[in-house]
Amino acid sequence: MEKSSSPQPGQSLASSISNSGPISILAYCLSSILMTVTNKYVLSGFSFNLNFFLLAVQSIVCIVTIGSLKSVGIITYRQFNKDEAKKWSPIAFLLVAMIYTGSKAIQYLSIPVYTIFKNLTIILIAYGEVLWFGGKVTSMALSSFLLMVFSSMIAYYGDNAAVRSQDDEFTLYLGYFWMLVNCFASASFVLIMRKRIKLTNFKDFDTMYYNNLLAIPILLISSLVFEDWSSENIAVNFPSDNRVTTISAMILSGVSSVGISYCSAWCVRVTSSTTYSMVGALNKLPIALTGLIFFDAVVNFWSVSSIFVGFIAGLVYAIAKQKQQREQQSLPGK
């Protein structure tokens, strides 16, 4: 006769949290905000210029974290394989390009402007899917793209209105340059990784493991070659009065990057990919507002308007994707 085992109170609580849609959504939003804010704090707060090193620390923290979780049996991912690593290495280079250009963009741009211009990546990915995967851009999705471009134009106008000197103008355009490169690097990374995942059948933690493990040597070598490791520059990057705070923020940003990856998969698992895309659209508003509250971002009619137009653009895009998904499911044979 089999014994009926009733769940322990701790187990039932853990299970209810693990399968809770609202909690997964809240966790994703908080981890996304935390990483954006900590990156901005490190990169803009104390004349920090060791961007490659910061990104290497984040990848190392990610590997240590998921390795620890695997050792205690919480997660699992495939063992390292040289052949798979060789095939995945181009994606690791694209990842480095994406996160480095993103770190440079957020160093020179405010969080609201960075968040708004990041929307333009969605347009590049959508048309890349049309070319590579036979995707389709609906009229509603096209409308959201136009709103994204419009919100970026408003943000640009608002930033220009706040320019007070030639140095401000140079910093602004330098930020726009890195943002443009980041949009193309991000789209290339997402599209090529999607192709490779289909060939390798990688799961979420497999992707995290290979992405971060292969990125670490690239980032460390790039830091040693391209960044200034003189004692004077180290003193500038890690001033004695803020050294512990800066290092803690670097580690925290690494932990939050792990959190975003995990919470993304968690949110999709307990809700749906459509809900996840909707949350991503809604989350741009609190991220942008966080930049206005905690940092010296430009606050005027144009900057505030660009945030809300960008928010609406993301919302329209999420609804367009939801509608497109329903239409595909209603087709014969689906």
Side-chain angles (χ1 to χ4, degrees):
M1 192 172 183
E2 291 183 2
K3 292 182 180 178
S4 59
S5 60
S6 57
Q8 298 297 319
Q11 291 176 333
S12 61
L13 178 63
S15 177
S16 62
I17 291 174
S18 175
N19 293 291
S20 170
I23 293 177
S24 71
I25 289 170
L26 179 63
Y28 168 70
C29 291
L30 291 176
S31 62
S32 180
I33 292 170
L34 181 63
M35 184 175 182
T36 305
V37 170
T38 51
N39 277 349
K40 181 65 176 176
Y41 175 81
V42 174
L43 292 167
S44 298
F46 305 105
S47 302
F48 194 89
N49 55 41
L50 300 174
N51 295 58
F52 280 120
F53 180 67
L54 169 64
L55 299 172
V57 169
Q58 290 178 355
S59 290
I60 291 168
V61 169
C62 181
I63 290 297
V64 170
T65 303
I66 64 174
S68 301
L69 293 174
K70 184 182 181 182
S71 66
V72 296
I74 296 176
I75 65 170
T76 184
Y77 51 84
R78 62 182 71 190
Q79 293 295 322
F80 181 80
N81 180 284
K82 282 186 179 179
D83 291 333
E84 286 181 338
K86 188 176 180 181
K87 293 173 182 175
W88 198 264
S89 55
I91 297 170
F93 277 100
L94 284 172
L95 172 65
V96 169
M98 179 185 74
I99 59 179
Y100 178 76
T101 56
S103 73
K104 295 297 288 185
I106 203 169
Q107 183 175 347
Y108 295 112
L109 297 176
S110 66
I111 289 178
V113 172
Y114 172 83
T115 305
I116 291 160
F117 274 84
K118 194 70 177 171
N119 271 341
L120 299 180
T121 306
I122 297 173
I123 303 175
L124 296 174
I125 292 172
Y127 282 102
E129 287 182 339
V130 171
L131 294 173
W132 286 11
F133 302 104
K136 179 185 175 185
V137 175
T138 64
S139 56
M140 192 173 188
L142 183 60
S143 300
S144 73
F145 296 162
L146 293 174
L147 282 171
M148 289 174 193
V149 173
F150 182 54
S151 69
S152 300
M153 290 170 65
I154 298 174
Y156 168 76
Y157 188 84
D159 261 12
N160 265 345
V163 168
R164 295 287 179 268
S165 66
Q166 284 189 338
D167 286 343
D168 289 344
E169 189 174 8
F170 175 76
T171 300
L172 187 64
Y173 282 106
L174 192 59
Y176 286 145
F177 166 77
W178 285 115
M179 192 73 249
L180 178 65
V181 177
N182 177 254
C183 287
F184 281 98
S186 300
S188 301
F189 170 72
V190 170
L191 292 167
I192 293 174
M193 185 172 68
R194 180 182 167 187
K195 243 185 176 181
R196 177 52 59 185
I197 286 175
K198 284 191 172 185
L199 295 173
T200 57
N201 197 29
F202 269 23
K203 306 302 180 188
D204 291 333
F205 285 111
D206 298 329
T207 303
M208 280 180 65
Y209 175 64
Y210 273 91
N211 274 343
N212 287 280
L213 185 67
L214 296 175
I216 289 170
I218 301 171
L219 290 166
L220 288 177
I221 292 170
S222 298
S223 179
L224 291 171
V225 172
F226 298 111
E227 294 179 334
D228 182 4
W229 280 94
S230 64
S231 56
E232 293 83 2
N233 195 51
I234 291 173
V236 169
N237 283 273
F238 300 100
S240 56
D241 55 336
N242 284 299
R243 187 169 299 155
V244 175
T245 305
T246 303
I247 293 171
S248 299
M250 291 171 70
I251 295 171
L252 185 60
S253 68
V255 173
S256 59
S257 70
V258 180
I260 289 174
S261 298
Y262 174 76
C263 293
S264 297
W266 180 18
C267 186
V268 171
R269 176 176 62 82
V270 300
T271 58
S272 68
S273 56
T274 304
T275 302
Y276 171 72
S277 65
M278 187 75 75
V279 171
L282 295 171
N283 198 36
K284 292 188 184 304
L285 181 60
I287 290 176
L289 292 177
T290 301
L292 293 179
I293 295 168
F294 292 105
F295 296 94
D296 189 22
V298 176
V299 181
N300 55 36
F301 171 77
W302 301 107
S303 63
V304 174
S305 298
S306 67
I307 292 172
F308 283 99
V309 173
F311 168 73
I312 292 168
L315 200 57
V316 171
Y317 178 74
I319 295 170
K321 293 294 286 184
Q322 184 181 30
K323 186 178 177 183
Q324 188 177 4
Q325 189 178 36
R326 282 202 305 265
E327 288 174 354
Q328 287 175 345
Q329 289 172 347
S330 66
L331 289 174
K334 294 287 183 185

